[in-house]
Amino acid sequence: MEHKILTIEELHFAYNNKEVLCSINLEIEKNDFFVLSGDNGSGKSTLLKLILGFLDANIGRIHLNTKHIGYISQEGLTKLKDFPASVYEVIAMRLKEVNFFNINSSKISSKVCDALKLVEIEDLKNKRISDLSGGQLQRVLIARELVGDLELLLLDEPTNGLDQKSIKSLMELLTKLNQKGLTIGMVSHHIEDIKSNVGKIYELKNKHISEVKV
């Protein structure tokens, strides 16, 4: 039985002939909660984009043992903040089968409400996106991914712009989702704020990756 959800073997990547990542090897098990850490410019977000298939490796292999992947980018909050829609509409529109005619159907509503319940913001269902705080918006983004049949959630710097209380609340939520069986990976350079919640930390430094003891 395959327990690894992500395998990276001898990955190399360069931008315009400038090497960014060298000999990257990584194995992530199903139900892991892992972090890619490192200084700005160390290649964290680049590695995430390679995993997601947004970029192609020059050398090496990336194997994902699932197609049910959710992704929340650094720009997610910014893009969403001024979107003229309700929380319900933003989450529902993530479903492929949603259209103008069925968005309020009982089937769609049930899926959206289940996702809202998982991230503990059922009371925000009818709120306008523009009226939410940064921490609330982050939960909407997570619910938007959870509304599908999700097995792996990847987040790029999800704590950026959040205060300590919101960071603590977000990490508690991600921990609960992980305990329910969701594999989670995130990029962050705020390791002190999150290390007590995660299982594995990998540091990118000088183009290479190494595991940091939690």
Side-chain angles (χ1 to χ4, degrees), residues 72-145:
I72 298 174
S73 68
Q74 288 188 48
E75 297 80 28
L77 287 177
T78 308
K79 286 181 179 178
L80 203 57
K81 182 64 180 170
D82 298 317
F83 196 63
S86 69
V87 168
Y88 177 91
E89 290 165 339
V90 166
I91 296 170
M93 285 187 287
R94 186 70 171 89
L95 292 164
K96 291 179 181 178
E97 67 267 32
V98 163
N99 58 48
F100 177 79
F101 301 101
N102 71 4
I103 191 168
N104 292 309
S105 69
S106 58
K107 182 181 176 183
I108 301 302
S109 180
S110 177
K111 288 185 177 182
V112 173
C113 289
D114 285 348
L116 287 167
K117 188 174 181 180
L118 281 170
V119 300
E120 301 164 359
I121 55 169
E122 301 103 304
D123 57 322
L124 301 180
K125 176 181 172 182
N126 297 312
K127 286 270 191 180
R128 307 298 291 181
I129 288 294
S130 56
D131 293 335
L132 303 184
S133 68
Q136 290 171 332
L137 275 172
Q138 196 64 267
R139 286 177 181 251
V140 172
L141 286 169
I142 294 170
R144 191 169 182 269
E145 299 304 316

Side-chain angles (χ1 to χ4, degrees), residues 5-212:
I5 199 165
L6 169 66
T7 304
I8 300 176
E9 298 173 348
E10 289 300 317
L11 181 142
H12 293 252
F13 182 78
Y15 279 119
N16 300 320
N17 296 321
K18 182 181 179 183
E19 192 169 53
V20 178
L21 299 170
C22 176
S23 298
I24 302 296
N25 291 282
L26 186 64
E27 289 187 344
I28 301 298
E29 304 284 331
K30 289 181 179 178
N31 207 33
D32 273 350
F33 189 166
F34 70 98
V35 174
L36 300 175
S37 68
D39 295 334
N40 289 334
S42 61
K44 305 183 300 295
S45 294
T46 298
L47 181 55
L48 199 63
K49 288 173 182 175
L50 284 158
I51 292 169
L52 288 159
F54 298 163
L55 298 171
D56 295 320
N58 302 115
I59 302 171
R61 173 179 172 268
I62 297 175
H63 175 66
L64 277 165
N65 189 31
T66 179
K67 293 181 180 178
H68 304 293
I69 303 165
Y71 169 57
I72 298 174
S73 68
Q74 288 188 48
E75 297 80 28
L77 287 177
T78 308
K79 286 181 179 178
L80 203 57
K81 182 64 180 170
D82 298 317
F83 196 63
S86 69
V87 168
Y88 177 91
E89 290 165 339
V90 166
I91 296 170
M93 285 187 287
R94 186 70 171 89
L95 292 164
K96 291 179 181 178
E97 67 267 32
V98 163
N99 58 48
F100 177 79
F101 301 101
N102 71 4
I103 191 168
N104 292 309
S105 69
S106 58
K107 182 181 176 183
I108 301 302
S109 180
S110 177
K111 288 185 177 182
V112 173
C113 289
D114 285 348
L116 287 167
K117 188 174 181 180
L118 281 170
V119 300
E120 301 164 359
I121 55 169
E122 301 103 304
D123 57 322
L124 301 180
K125 176 181 172 182
N126 297 312
K127 286 270 191 180
R128 307 298 291 181
I129 288 294
S130 56
D131 293 335
L132 303 184
S133 68
Q136 290 171 332
L137 275 172
Q138 196 64 267
R139 286 177 181 251
V140 172
L141 286 169
I142 294 170
R144 191 169 182 269
E145 299 304 316
L146 289 173
V147 78
D149 184 17
L150 200 62
E151 292 182 359
L152 172 63
L153 177 63
L154 299 172
L155 309 96
D156 195 355
E157 299 282 5
T159 60
N160 273 8
L162 300 183
D163 58 27
Q164 286 298 319
K165 183 180 177 181
S166 296
I167 291 173
K168 185 174 184 292
S169 178
L170 173 64
M171 294 311 300
E172 287 173 351
L173 170 63
L174 292 175
T175 299
K176 285 181 183 178
L177 293 173
N178 177 244
Q179 290 169 347
K180 290 177 182 289
L182 182 64
T183 307
I184 299 175
M186 58 186 281
V187 165
S188 180
H189 58 269
H190 297 296
I191 296 303
E192 290 304 313
D193 295 331
I194 65 174
K195 66 181 182 181
S196 62
N197 296 91
V198 303
K200 296 177 180 177
I201 298 175
Y202 298 95
E203 183 182 25
L204 282 156
K205 189 175 183 180
N206 299 324
K207 306 174 192 174
H208 292 82
I209 194 167
S210 59
E211 186 170 359
V212 178

